[in-house]
Amino acid sequence: MTRQKTTDRPPVFNNLIENYEYLGLPVDLIDPKNDFTIHKLMDIHGELPFKSCVYRANFYSFLFIKDGEGRYTTDDLEFCTKPHTIYFTNPGHYKSFEWHCLKEVYLVTMSESFLKENVHANIFEEFPFLLAETVPARVLQPEVFAEFEPLYLQIYKEYFSNSPYKNKMIGNLFVVLLLKIKEYFWEDYNPIYEGNRSSQIVKNFKRTLEKHYRELSTGKAKRVFRAQDYANEQNLHPNYLNNVIKTKTGKSVSTWIIDKTITEAKSLLQNSATPIKQIADQLGFAETAHFSNYFKKYTDTTPVLYRKHLGTGVS
């Protein structure tokens, strides 16, 4: 069964609720106030088989298949899902999926902001595979898959709890899960899977973007990079770089810069006692008022109110 709209251009979704609403799937098990989701796919798909349209997802997805059968595509990568498969995708890819059997399958999604704020402040330094273009699915031995199962089941339990520490507990559990992925997926990862020249450009851009904002937040860099700077890093014309990034990820270089600035701002507001004036300076804003207006434009709240909501009490 397929229940979704059809358009000439694949739709773009910034979170799972947008994704499921478009596909005609129920969203009542998803917390609309949280950038993190986890649910059992058998609770979502009432009728099988189900086949989705092609779409672009601007969020991270992790799939844990203990017992299920179907098919996934990510850009040019296609594979059959089978028991004991673990698969994850990073934002910006074209995707589609189909399910023929769903007995025990869990899907986890999250934003970069959630990763930075609740999992690890230097998430991409510790787990570089989260910047990779494509990572092939792995079918694990049952005893290896069993090491992951209690972790995602505990995350599932915490997600539906009312604990005020829910996100922090989920974040810490997810660190262990990512370390397990790093242990079993990444040590023998073959860079050939990174694909063609365009994929390499995207990978290098993401790494440079992450490295530069890490240096900004620690005071090692004083000037914010513009599109021209990122093009210079790869000896490319800015227009060519932008075309590659927009084609491969669905977002322009400038949009990537905006999103990264907001993500870093949120991380600094939550994970430190740094005054807002200093955060503004670290992120390249000459005036605190300019930073506040910029932050409000893209989040609908001010840095002061955002921090107050988090309960840090620092201005």
Side-chain angles (χ1 to χ4, degrees):
M1 183 183 76
T2 304
R3 291 184 303 167
Q4 59 252 343
K5 307 167 190 175
T6 57
T7 59
D8 293 334
R9 296 182 61 185
V12 178
F13 306 117
N14 294 312
N15 55 61
L16 191 66
I17 288 182
E18 292 179 2
N19 190 179
Y20 275 11
E21 285 180 339
Y22 186 93
L23 297 178
L25 296 171
V27 297
D28 53 303
L29 295 176
I30 302 171
D31 181 357
K33 298 179 181 179
N34 204 329
D35 286 342
F36 179 97
T37 76
I38 180 171
H39 61 278
K40 294 181 283 188
L41 288 188
M42 56 286 280
D43 292 339
I44 297 294
H45 293 277
E47 299 180 42
L48 294 176
F50 183 94
K51 184 176 182 179
S52 78
C53 62
V54 175
Y55 61 92
R56 195 192 290 275
N58 285 331
F59 51 87
Y60 291 88
S61 297
F62 293 77
L63 196 65
F64 301 93
I65 306 166
K66 184 176 182 180
D67 192 359
E69 294 181 3
R71 181 178 297 273
Y72 258 72
T73 62
T74 304
D75 296 335
D76 297 327
L77 181 68
E78 181 176 329
F79 66 94
C80 292
T81 50
K82 57 185 68 175
H84 305 123
T85 297
I86 294 179
Y87 179 57
F88 66 91
T89 59
N90 301 332
H93 296 286
Y94 285 115
K95 300 168 62 175
S96 68
F97 64 87
E98 56 185 271
W99 288 107
H100 306 290
C101 173
L102 281 172
K103 292 185 178 178
E104 195 165 345
V105 181
Y106 286 77
L107 175 66
V108 177
T109 74
M110 71 205 68
S111 66
E112 180 180 329
S113 292
F114 185 92
L115 285 170
K116 287 264 185 175
E117 293 169 19
N118 298 286
V119 180
H120 198 297
N122 295 321
I123 187 75
F124 301 117
E125 184 176 1
E126 181 67 28
F127 305 108
F129 52 84
L130 294 175
L131 291 176
E133 269 295 277
T134 55
V135 180
R138 289 290 181 95
V139 180
L140 303 176
Q141 293 298 317
E143 63 271 19
V144 176
F145 188 91
E147 295 182 26
F148 289 86
E149 187 176 10
L151 292 169
Y152 66 72
L153 289 179
Q154 186 64 34
I155 290 172
Y156 179 81
K157 178 181 177 181
E158 298 300 338
Y159 180 73
F160 289 99
S161 77
N162 295 317
S163 171
Y165 309 110
K166 176 170 70 174
N167 282 354
K168 284 299 181 184
M169 286 191 284
I170 288 173
N172 281 284
L173 287 164
F174 206 76
V175 167
V176 182
L177 200 151
L178 286 174
L179 285 168
K180 282 291 180 185
I181 289 176
K182 189 175 183 178
E183 178 182 7
Y184 287 110
F185 283 59
W186 197 249
E187 294 306 318
D188 61 347
Y189 178 68
N190 188 345
I192 195 171
Y193 286 116
E194 288 296 340
N196 58 23
R197 170 63 175 156
S198 293
S199 295
Q200 291 289 340
I201 289 172
V202 173
K203 180 182 68 172
N204 291 336
F205 168 72
K206 288 180 179 179
R207 287 179 174 172
T208 302
L209 184 74
E210 173 60 26
K211 179 176 181 289
H212 179 61
Y213 273 81
R214 189 165 63 247
E215 291 177 347
L216 282 172
S217 65
T218 58
K220 293 182 180 179
K222 301 297 183 183
R223 183 179 65 84
V224 176
F225 276 6
R226 306 301 179 194
Q228 179 70 60
D229 298 300
Y230 290 105
N232 290 344
E233 285 287 315
Q234 299 194 58
N235 297 314
L236 301 173
H237 190 281
N239 290 346
Y240 178 72
L241 175 66
N242 194 62
N243 286 339
V244 170
I245 299 301
K246 184 71 180 293
T247 299
K248 291 286 288 181
T249 73
K251 299 194 296 186
S252 66
V253 171
S254 61
T255 301
W256 272 98
I257 293 172
I258 290 167
D259 289 349
K260 177 61 73 174
T261 300
I262 295 300
T263 296
E264 291 300 321
K266 287 181 175 180
S267 181
L268 288 167
L269 288 166
Q270 173 163 335
N271 292 307
S272 76
T274 309
I276 290 175
K277 184 179 186 302
Q278 186 175 334
I279 293 175
D281 183 63
Q282 285 178 240
L283 294 176
F285 293 89
E287 300 290 339
T288 305
H290 182 203
F291 170 63
S292 294
N293 291 336
Y294 184 95
F295 191 86
K296 185 174 183 180
K297 178 180 179 181
Y298 296 107
T299 66
D300 293 325
T301 189
T302 66
V304 172
L305 291 176
Y306 180 81
R307 177 169 265 177
K308 185 176 181 181
H309 175 71
L310 296 172
T312 64
V314 183
S315 60

